[in-house]
Amino acid sequence: MKFPIPYTLRQIATLIDCDFVGNADFSVLGMNEIHVVEPGDIVFVDHPKYYDKALNSAATIILINKEVPCPEGKALLISDDPFRDFNKLTDNFKPFKTATSTISDSAVIGANSVIQPNAFIGHNVVIGENCIIHSNVSIYDDAIIGNNVTIHSGTVLGANAFYYKKRPDGFDRLKSCGRVVIEDNVDIGANCTIDRGVTGDTTIKEGSKLDNQIQIGHDTVIGRKCLIASQVGIAGCVVVEDEVTFWGQVGCTSGVTIGTKAVLHAQSGISKSLEGHKTYWGTPAQEARSEMKEMANIKQIPNILEFIKSKK
């Protein structure tokens, strides 16, 4: 998320009531998660295991819970609770705004697009031309919908990221201020849920087709012309490259990449990144042909045992 205007390090430190290391006039342009940070961004880190990753990232302002040597050209915000203070910044720069109508006055809807009754269109939503948004679709604030997009009933675009920090008395949610971006010629079935990015975008690229009852997590990118069958669940921060096919009930862990034109057979479980141009099956997902050969060999074990017994 980029701020509407540049802020100084001192101004940001004052907002969250914390100390800082660096020039008080150091320019702060936005805030983002580690995988999408750019120069001028704030990134937060609250565990020593990830200090080096944050300090060496593209971010130039690190919100951290320990004073450490500051890399050249960067600045530190020293907080006793970076998770809490990152949420404070979200509340300040992107506060929740209640709706006063079913279709927000700030929404922009293109020519020949149809919004069926009982659909909800939030603040600052942009919908392109020749779209059909069916009844009971909910499109939360700031979503961007391209041209020639169809979204079926019950689908929700822009719910919160599933991102929590465990506390002694329960869980704190990391507040989401990102967007959902749906490019041209995408079809989305009924009862799908596509979460908004924490600070960036969850993106469905041009020409992809989604069946019913699909979950796509925060900040995930679905490539061009992908096919995703019913009951697929894809976690956050996943990169799905172009023309990938997911058959029914595939589950995918967070932070992995699925290569171009990969095919995932039904009920596969993806636990690591997978190369493109291959077909996968099983849990954890393996190349389908070798996995099926292994299963065929396993089925021969009783016959092998009987053969051994007969030779004694």
Side-chain angles (χ1 to χ4, degrees):
M1 177 179 71
K2 297 301 180 186
F3 299 151
I5 59 172
Y7 284 75
T8 67
L9 185 65
R10 185 190 299 279
Q11 287 174 316
I12 298 297
T14 300
L15 280 174
I16 58 178
D17 190 23
C18 76
D19 295 327
F20 62 87
V21 175
N23 187 326
D25 294 325
F26 195 94
S27 184
V28 185
L29 306 180
M31 52 187 282
N32 270 310
E33 282 195 284
I34 189 82
H35 61 284
V36 289
V37 288
E38 299 174 346
D41 284 347
I42 301 168
V43 69
F44 85 91
V45 61
D46 57 5
H47 194 290
K49 179 179 178 181
Y50 303 109
Y51 284 175
D52 286 345
K53 184 176 181 180
L55 291 164
N56 295 320
S57 71
T60 43
I61 305 94
I62 296 86
L63 177 59
I64 191 169
N65 57 346
K66 182 180 179 181
E67 187 166 344
V68 297
C70 183
E72 186 177 352
K74 299 193 177 188
L76 305 180
L77 293 161
I78 312 299
S79 164
D80 64 321
D81 193 334
F83 189 99
R84 177 202 65 210
D85 287 341
F86 203 75
N87 274 344
K88 284 184 182 179
L89 292 173
T90 298
D91 283 337
N92 184 83
F93 290 106
K94 198 68 176 179
F96 173 72
K97 184 180 179 183
T98 58
T100 56
S101 60
T102 304
I103 300 177
S104 173
D105 292 339
S106 61
V108 177
I109 300 172
N112 301 315
S113 286
V114 175
I115 312 298
Q116 294 282 70
N118 299 320
F120 172 77
I121 312 296
H123 301 300
N124 306 313
V125 170
V126 176
I127 297 174
E129 299 178 355
N130 304 309
C131 296
I132 301 177
I133 312 300
H134 285 277
S135 61
N136 300 315
V137 168
S138 292
I139 303 178
Y140 288 19
D141 296 356
D142 304 310
I144 305 294
I145 314 295
N147 301 319
N148 308 307
V149 172
T150 299
I151 305 175
H152 286 278
S153 295
T155 285
V156 177
L157 305 186
N160 289 326
F162 189 70
Y163 194 141
Y164 292 85
K165 182 177 181 65
K166 189 174 183 179
R167 305 285 195 184
D169 56 349
F171 295 92
D172 279 354
R173 174 171 59 85
L174 187 65
K175 297 182 179 181
S176 303
C177 59
R179 306 183 302 176
V180 170
V181 176
I182 310 295
E183 295 187 356
D184 296 349
N185 304 309
V186 170
D187 292 340
I188 302 175
N191 294 322
C192 294
T193 49
I194 302 175
D195 294 341
R196 70 194 303 148
V198 172
T199 56
D201 295 338
T202 303
T203 303
I204 314 295
K205 292 190 175 181
E206 189 272 329
S208 287
K209 311 298 181 184
L210 279 62
D211 197 1
N212 305 320
Q213 297 178 321
I214 291 165
Q215 157 67 15
I216 295 177
H218 68 89
D219 297 282
T220 283
V221 177
I222 305 296
R224 293 172 179 81
K225 298 180 182 177
C226 292
L227 293 175
I228 306 179
S230 181
Q231 298 182 18
V232 166
I234 301 175
C237 304
V238 172
V239 175
V240 178
E241 296 181 350
D242 296 345
E243 298 184 53
V244 173
T245 300
F246 289 79
W247 294 119
Q249 296 186 335
V250 171
C252 182
T253 192
S254 63
V256 300
T257 297
I258 312 299
T260 300
K261 294 188 177 180
V263 176
L264 289 306
H265 283 322
Q267 296 191 330
S268 294
I270 303 169
S271 60
K272 62 182 181 180
S273 294
L274 300 175
E275 294 180 13
H277 301 275
K278 294 181 179 180
T279 298
Y280 298 91
W281 181 63
T283 302
Q286 307 288 337
E287 282 194 70
R289 182 169 294 182
S290 61
E291 185 77 359
M292 290 176 181
K293 282 182 180 179
E294 287 179 11
M295 289 193 67
N297 290 334
I298 288 170
K299 288 181 178 180
Q300 294 302 314
I301 289 175
N303 295 333
I304 294 169
L305 293 175
E306 286 298 321
F307 178 78
I308 292 171
K309 286 180 183 179
S310 71
K311 295 298 183 180
K312 286 184 178 179

